[in-house]
Every structure is written in C-alpha cells, then in structure tokens.
Amino acid sequence: MSMDSNAVKEKIVECMNHMGIVDFEEDANFRVDDYILDSVMFVSFIIELEQMFDIEIPDEYLVADRLQTFDDIYNMIESVTGEADINECS
C-alpha cells in the first residue's frame, strides 16, 4: 500500500464519516470512546477500517484500549500496512 500520511488520515476521517461520525475533527483531544460508544460500534469501526484500507487488522488491536486516539488509529494502520515510521503521526 503506497499512501502518504495525509491520505491515510483522510481515509480514517472518511471511515469515521461512514460510521455516522460527521462532527469529527482530527485533533489532539480526540478520544475514540467519545465517538465509539459500545462494542458493536467498535467492531463496526474495525470492519470499516479493514474495508477502507483493504487490510486485516490483527487480533492484538481488537481491544478498545489499543485504539484510544486518532494517532493510535493512524499508527495501527501504518503498522499493519508496513508504512513509514509507526511511532510518529505527522
């Protein structure tokens, strides 16, 4: 998968919009649990990410505690796709 960081971020936002999260703004205060309200919605979000990025998210990420911020989601996508530095969201 060859995508720059802005394209990855845009696809994450697009995924959130598909989930009905339309007032989302990428910022440092973003918390997943402010938008993903229950386990069914979390699983739906994971499925949406998998479809959007054409990936399979490993089980180790299927715990809400692993994906608490926008950067967590971004870093997970980068890690799964083998892109760039997974420790930095620029």
Side-chain angles (χ1 to χ4, degrees):
M1 182 169 159
S2 179
M3 255 187 203
D4 67 29
S5 63
N6 287 331
V8 171
K9 291 175 186 179
E10 288 172 12
K11 286 189 95 158
I12 293 170
V13 171
E14 184 179 343
C15 177
M16 298 182 103
N17 290 334
H18 283 194
M19 294 286 303
I21 303 169
V22 294
D23 63 344
F24 167 78
E25 293 180 25
E26 177 195 338
D27 66 21
N29 297 321
F30 168 79
R31 301 288 302 166
V32 170
D33 55 5
D34 289 341
Y35 297 95
I36 308 293
L37 304 176
D38 59 29
S39 60
V40 172
M41 192 170 184
F42 180 77
V43 170
S44 296
F45 179 62
I46 294 297
I47 292 168
E48 186 72 30
L49 286 171
E50 289 180 328
Q51 292 174 348
M52 184 72 63
F53 288 95
D54 193 28
I55 59 174
E56 184 174 328
I57 297 173
D59 291 346
E60 65 200 60
Y61 290 103
L62 301 182
V63 179
D65 292 345
R66 290 287 312 262
L67 301 174
Q68 293 192 3
T69 66
F70 188 89
D71 284 353
D72 291 344
I73 296 165
Y74 175 86
N75 289 333
M76 182 268 305
I77 297 295
E78 293 291 305
S79 176
V80 171
T81 60
E83 293 285 327
D85 181 1
I86 64 169
N87 298 314
E88 185 176 325
C89 182
S90 54

